[in-house]
Amino acid sequence: MSTRVFDNAAFDRDSAAPDQTFHQASHKLQMQSAQLKPLQGAGQHNGLPRRAAASDGSSLRESTQELFETSEAQIRYRAYSRLQAAAVAMGESLAIPEIVAIGGQSDGKSSLLEAFLGFRFNVREVEMGTRRPLIVQMVHDPTAQEPRCRLQEEESNEYGPPIVPETAVADAIQRRTEEHLRKMGNIAVSSKPIVMRAEYAYCPNLTIIDTPGFILKAKTGELDNTPDEIMSMVKAQASPPHRMILFLQQSSVEWASALWLRVVQEVDPYFQRTVIVASKFDNRLKEFAERWEVDKYLSATGYLPPNVRPFFVALPKDRAIQSSAEWRRSMAEVDAAVFKHLRDGIKGGFDEERFASRIGFSNLKKFLEEELSRRYREAAPATLALLQERCDAVSAELMAAEIRLKAAEDVGALRRVAMKYADTVARQVLLLLQGSAEPDPMQHGLTTDEERATSRAPQWPGLNSAALQPVHHESKLFGGAAFERCLEEFHIAVNSTRFPASMSSDRLRNIMYAYKGKHLTGGPTKAAEDVARQAAKEALGPLLDAACIRLSFILRRLYDIAADRAAATMGSKENLHPYIAFHAALRSSHQAFINRLEEQARGMLRTHLEAATSQFAMNMYVHVSDPGDPEESMQPADCSDGDLVEDDGMVACEQLDNSAEVLNDRLKAVHLASAAGPGRFEDNTPSRRATKSRRVALQQNSERLRPAGAGNGASEGGNSVGSSYDDVISAAESLFRKIRCAVATQYAPATLKSTFLDPMTDRLALEVSLDLFARTDADFGSMFSAAGAVAALAAKRDMLARRVEGLIKCKNEFQELAKCL
């Protein structure tokens, strides 16, 4: 786009010598009343205004055949029209030259817009008439003998139906403006423009943007910043370099007192793209009496740059004019009246050679058309390149829409991509369980306290959780590391559990006396076993449940980490990012699988606890040393809660004696027998495999370790009645410690690992796939498209196809026609 200053002198010279260039022909076309077809009669009157700019003031009527007497002129005019049509079709995408009308309130911008259109439509009020920018895209259409005006929809590029009659355009614009301002909170003005396309046989091919007029003060009821809002809005509309600025100021205001000229200088400091118009010129003419007064005013010497020469325009004031023909005729009559007054009403007339081409609307229109023609010609190469870019861009959008539509309709392809993504997520979960240094622990890891706070079971029941801190409790861990740390914490919690104080004396005596009546021998021993069994279930059962909840929480967190890693490793088309319903279903499948593992682990641990407190286990505990409590003095062979940490950080008892190993193996055999069913149990524990001498030694050792009151039936028979309450409590506590040690060191950790980790490794991908993909095509497709989504994609594809077709046609046509520019 050229930025040269308007050559006003050259325009004046050209206007004095008539020629048949395309620009003059275009101007003549707009000033004719005849339809753009052969005249039906040689002397037919067209009713359009006469042109008064020529020095002799003669009529400039010419026929359409004379206007387009050469094929070259027709082609050049067609190229000019098609270029503007391309700008209209592409909206703001093409930097086609446009005109922005700015000025103070009631300076005549809307009336000048009507003059260019060739018919009256706009609202002209004493107060502010234009409250939103109005972009009028004028398209010269020789077939449109009546104006066809359509408003663009507020939220789309589509245009509504034609507004009939044209006098209803003002009401449509005002109604749309009020609705928008009310929706925005009853504001005074808005920067969102209204776009109107006007097709008419008597309008030129150009775009004019009518803006709200500048004001000094907001009226009552409006925000105080309304003047500043208008100022910012107008500057934004006038700033683009491809737009010409049409600055209007009433001729009654002296150039030295021009308030708003500074706004033009802020956006166009050297007036390179500004045309200044003194409106309502007929009002100022009444003040002149002699030639020197008129010439001095018209020259504007000392107030405007030397290269800037304003236009002086007067338009009809009669608001009773209704028809378009009357409006155009009245404009011609006003121009003629202004020239007549300058010649006859001013003593000495005026300097016609200098100023005649600057007076009247017809001369302003001619100048703007020729300047726009020059700018169109200069913009043609860039416009053609931009049209090609837009064709390529919209073609790419069409291809993408085709791919999306095909993908939405191809359920098989969706299944393949979805299965690949689900498998990738499952493999990432396994890598995180095995240990991976890639995810950032600061982003994904949790400390022990954070883990407790965010899980459903933040505390270990019956214990002071703040005092139970495993190794590395301050480290941020996730995945397999967090799982192992939680097991260690569970081990500490179990070993910290004491014989329940809830076992009151009344409760114990009820049990003792009940057994005394039913068991003639072994009553105190049976009572101690029953007390220990109940105490273990009450104290250890909640801890087992809490461990299941904590571990399942750790596993559930792995999905988010794994999904992030899967999205990072896969392409944008493979990670199915836009399909929220699919990702939600995949997440639900993962969580449901882990919930099932949690329920299964809870049931398995309850079964192990029942086995550890069964009568068979009670009979075997006679072979196990009492591990004792950390607070008590310990024997070297005892299993100590205080022997805390092995090299790998796991808390465990240092050793169990041979009798404890026998018990563990036998309890495991009991559990396997119950799982295998009747007839499938084979007692192959180490005690059965041991030699006879070894079994005798074990038996002697068990007799030595039997607690007081827990002897054989014969010896217990004589002491059962005389056994004290303290003996039963002591025996029950000893049994409780043995149960606790067996659960903490053997059964619970092994069960938790096998129940959680093994299925995650072996069955996660399969279980999730069955849950997610074992569906009908309709059910599966619903995760990827809502109801009617395929139809919407097809409609968008069709719209883009039409747009591509239109753009390619427009580009090819313009490419040929632009050669004549």
Side-chain angles (χ1 to χ4, degrees):
M1 180 65 64
S2 174
T3 58
R4 71 171 179 85
V5 178
F6 291 138
D7 190 352
N8 294 280
F11 171 76
D12 296 339
R13 291 193 302 270
D14 294 340
S15 63
D19 56 49
Q20 291 298 323
T21 63
F22 163 70
H23 312 299
Q24 288 177 320
S26 176
H27 167 69
K28 294 172 185 177
L29 175 64
Q30 307 307 316
M31 302 305 298
Q32 299 302 316
S33 62
Q35 300 179 0
L36 294 182
K37 59 184 179 180
L39 295 178
Q40 297 178 358
Q44 184 175 357
H45 184 272
N46 53 34
L48 283 180
R50 300 177 178 179
R51 184 177 176 190
S55 58
D56 57 1
S58 61
S59 173
L60 295 177
R61 294 180 182 176
E62 296 177 357
S63 67
T64 304
Q65 292 178 344
E66 179 186 358
L67 181 63
F68 293 125
E69 59 185 359
T70 65
S71 59
E72 181 181 356
Q74 296 179 36
I75 295 175
R76 293 179 67 183
Y77 185 81
R78 185 183 178 192
Y80 180 37
S81 177
R82 288 299 300 165
L83 182 57
Q84 176 62 25
V88 173
M90 297 306 301
E92 297 297 325
S93 297
L94 298 179
I96 297 299
E98 300 167 333
I99 298 174
V100 181
I102 69 174
Q105 181 177 305
S106 302
D107 278 348
K109 298 184 301 301
S110 298
S111 296
L112 188 64
L113 176 60
E114 290 178 331
F116 279 105
L117 282 168
F119 65 92
R120 304 188 75 174
F121 78 94
N122 206 357
V123 178
R124 288 180 300 279
E125 302 174 351
V126 176
E127 296 180 349
M128 191 187 310
T130 304
R131 296 179 176 272
R132 295 174 61 183
L134 176 64
I135 301 177
V136 181
Q137 300 167 335
M138 302 183 195
V139 179
H140 174 76
D141 185 356
T143 65
Q145 293 303 305
E146 296 296 331
R148 292 196 297 262
C149 299
R150 294 181 295 170
L151 297 180
Q152 190 181 68
E153 300 297 334
E154 293 278 20
E155 304 300 335
S156 72
N157 294 328
E158 301 297 326
Y159 288 84
I163 302 174
V164 179
E166 67 270 18
T167 53
V169 171
D171 295 334
I173 292 175
Q174 186 174 6
R175 182 168 54 253
R176 178 168 291 191
T177 299
E178 291 175 353
E179 290 176 357
H180 176 72
L181 296 179
R182 183 168 54 253
K183 185 184 298 184
M184 298 299 294
N186 293 322
I187 57 179
V189 293
S190 172
S191 60
K192 185 176 183 180
I194 297 175
V195 181
M196 183 179 78
R197 179 171 182 171
E199 302 170 352
Y200 196 28
Y202 303 105
C203 71
N205 288 285
L206 54 84
T207 298
I208 295 182
I209 303 172
D210 187 18
T211 60
F214 300 121
I215 57 176
L216 292 173
K217 184 179 180 181
K219 73 175 185 179
T220 303
E222 294 181 350
L223 296 176
D224 294 337
N225 66 342
T226 299
D228 297 332
E229 291 287 336
I230 295 176
M231 184 76 68
S232 300
M233 181 195 315
V234 173
K235 286 181 180 180
Q237 294 292 335
S239 294
H242 67 276
R243 288 179 175 172
M244 296 173 58
I245 301 173
L246 193 64
F247 173 70
L248 274 72
Q249 177 178 278
Q250 294 190 40
S251 58
S252 57
V253 178
E254 298 296 337
W255 296 114
S257 303
L259 293 175
W260 312 117
L261 197 59
R262 62 178 178 84
V263 181
V264 177
Q265 291 178 307
E266 290 179 9
V267 295
D268 185 21
Y270 302 105
F271 296 92
Q272 293 176 319
R273 51 189 180 91
T274 301
V275 178
I276 297 178
V277 177
S279 61
K280 304 180 181 180
F281 183 53
D282 51 340
N283 294 337
R284 187 61 183 266
L285 284 178
K286 303 172 184 178
E287 302 178 7
F288 302 135
E290 298 184 9
R291 175 169 178 162
W292 69 269
E293 295 177 313
V294 178
D295 291 348
K296 180 180 179 181
Y297 173 76
L298 295 178
S299 64
T301 305
Y303 301 107
L304 297 176
N307 62 291
V308 177
R309 298 178 62 189
F311 284 84
F312 304 88
V313 175
L315 295 173
K317 295 183 175 62
D318 187 3
R319 296 188 178 182
I321 299 174
Q322 294 296 330
S323 69
S324 300
E326 291 178 358
W327 171 245
R328 296 191 295 272
R329 186 183 305 110
S330 298
M331 286 191 293
E333 291 173 353
V334 170
D335 279 357
V338 168
F339 274 99
K340 179 176 177 58
H341 182 83
L342 287 172
R343 295 189 184 104
D344 303 336
I346 303 297
K347 184 178 180 179
F350 72 108
D351 191 344
E352 293 195 34
E353 183 178 356
R354 292 178 58 194
F355 303 119
S357 62
R358 296 285 168 172
I359 298 174
F361 171 74
S362 59
N363 281 326
L364 172 63
K365 182 179 179 182
K366 175 186 177 183
F367 173 81
L368 291 178
E369 287 177 345
E370 293 188 356
E371 180 62 24
L372 282 174
S373 178
R374 180 187 67 81
R375 289 174 177 258
Y376 273 113
R377 192 162 53 246
E378 294 177 352
T383 302
L384 183 59
L386 190 55
L387 278 172
Q388 182 63 54
E389 291 179 8
R390 290 299 300 156
C391 287
D392 295 341
V394 178
S395 297
E397 290 182 31
L398 176 60
M399 184 177 298
E402 290 279 6
I403 293 174
R404 286 195 297 270
L405 180 60
K406 184 177 180 180
E409 294 175 339
D410 189 355
V411 180
L414 285 175
R415 285 184 182 274
R416 288 191 295 271
V417 176
M419 292 179 71
K420 180 179 179 181
Y421 178 79
D423 182 68
T424 302
V425 173
R427 284 189 284 106
Q428 292 293 337
V429 170
L430 298 184
L431 289 176
L432 295 173
L433 285 175
Q434 295 169 2
S436 176
E438 183 177 348
D440 184 6
M442 297 305 296
Q443 178 182 358
H444 301 292
L446 295 177
T447 65
T448 297
D449 291 337
E450 291 171 345
E451 205 173 84
R452 292 171 180 172
T454 53
S455 65
R456 291 180 296 164
Q459 304 294 331
W460 294 103
L463 299 174
N464 181 13
S465 298
L468 304 178
Q469 297 293 357
V471 178
H472 308 304
H473 64 276
E474 294 182 348
S475 299
K476 287 183 175 292
L477 304 180
F478 60 85
F483 192 95
E484 293 295 337
R485 184 179 63 182
C486 185
L487 286 180
E488 177 186 340
E489 184 182 350
F490 164 74
H491 193 185
I492 298 174
V494 172
N495 285 334
S496 300
T497 305
R498 300 293 172 260
F499 187 80
S502 60
M503 291 297 173
S504 63
S505 58
D506 290 342
R507 187 176 182 181
L508 294 175
R509 287 190 175 90
N510 272 282
I511 295 174
M512 291 173 60
Y513 275 97
Y515 276 105
K516 177 182 177 182
K518 295 180 181 179
H519 298 273
L520 297 178
T521 61
T525 301
K526 295 296 184 182
E529 292 174 355
D530 199 15
V531 170
R533 181 183 296 111
Q534 188 63 29
K537 292 179 179 180
E538 291 183 3
L540 301 180
L543 295 179
L544 297 175
D545 292 339
C548 292
I549 295 173
R550 282 281 297 280
L551 292 175
S552 63
F553 168 76
I554 292 171
L555 297 180
R556 277 194 294 269
R557 289 191 67 247
L558 292 182
Y559 174 80
D560 294 328
I561 309 174
D564 290 343
R565 293 191 63 188
T569 57
M570 303 179 70
S572 58
K573 294 181 180 180
E574 296 177 328
N575 62 26
L576 302 171
H577 178 69
Y579 302 109
I580 298 176
F582 167 74
H583 288 283
L586 179 59
R587 180 188 181 89
S588 298
S589 296
H590 272 260
Q591 307 306 315
F593 177 69
I594 295 172
N595 289 340
R596 292 194 295 271
L597 295 184
E598 179 184 344
E599 292 299 323
Q600 182 180 354
R602 185 180 286 109
M604 292 286 290
L605 289 175
R606 289 290 184 180
T607 301
H608 282 310
L609 186 59
E610 289 291 339
T613 56
S614 65
Q615 186 59 51
F616 176 80
M618 294 299 175
N619 293 336
M620 294 301 300
Y621 285 135
V622 296
H623 304 287
V624 180
S625 302
D626 186 352
D629 284 324
E631 291 85 353
E632 300 175 358
S633 60
M634 307 298 296
Q635 297 296 328
D638 289 339
C639 177
S640 173
D641 292 351
D643 297 335
L644 289 178
V645 186
E646 296 179 355
D647 292 340
D648 61 351
M650 291 298 297
V651 177
C653 293
E654 288 186 350
Q655 60 179 5
L656 288 173
D657 59 13
N658 292 330
S659 298
E661 293 179 2
V662 173
L663 172 63
N664 291 337
D665 291 336
R666 280 187 168 276
L667 289 179
K668 185 184 297 183
V670 171
H671 176 66
L672 291 175
S674 62
R680 299 185 61 182
F681 171 69
E682 180 180 356
D683 190 357
N684 194 27
T685 58
S687 62
R688 291 300 185 188
R689 295 194 302 268
T691 61
K692 180 177 180 181
S693 60
R694 176 60 175 159
R695 291 198 299 270
V696 170
L698 290 176
Q699 179 64 25
Q700 293 175 350
N701 187 39
S702 64
E703 292 294 341
R704 180 178 57 84
L705 296 174
R706 187 183 301 272
N712 54 33
S715 60
E716 290 172 0
N719 299 328
S720 61
V721 176
S723 296
S724 67
Y725 169 82
D726 293 335
D727 293 336
V728 174
I729 292 297
S730 177
E733 289 180 348
S734 177
L735 286 173
F736 174 81
R737 288 190 292 270
K738 294 175 183 180
I739 297 171
R740 180 188 65 187
C741 188
V743 170
T745 60
Q746 181 74 12
Y747 304 117
T751 300
L752 289 171
K753 286 186 177 183
S754 62
T755 309
F756 278 111
L757 298 184
D758 291 347
M760 291 290 289
T761 303
D762 301 334
R763 302 193 342 251
L764 174 63
L766 177 61
E767 294 275 354
V768 170
S769 297
L770 289 175
D771 185 36
L772 201 61
F773 301 111
R775 307 185 183 194
T776 63
D777 287 348
D779 189 17
F780 181 79
S782 65
M783 293 188 293
F784 296 87
S785 61
V790 175
L793 287 174
K796 183 176 181 180
R797 187 270 317 272
D798 295 340
M799 182 271 293
L800 288 172
R802 291 191 298 269
R803 189 175 183 186
V804 168
E805 182 181 1
L807 278 172
I808 293 176
K809 182 179 179 181
C810 181
K811 183 207 69 173
N812 293 337
E813 182 179 358
F814 177 69
Q815 188 173 10
E816 293 299 323
L817 296 178
K819 298 176 182 178
C820 301
L821 287 176

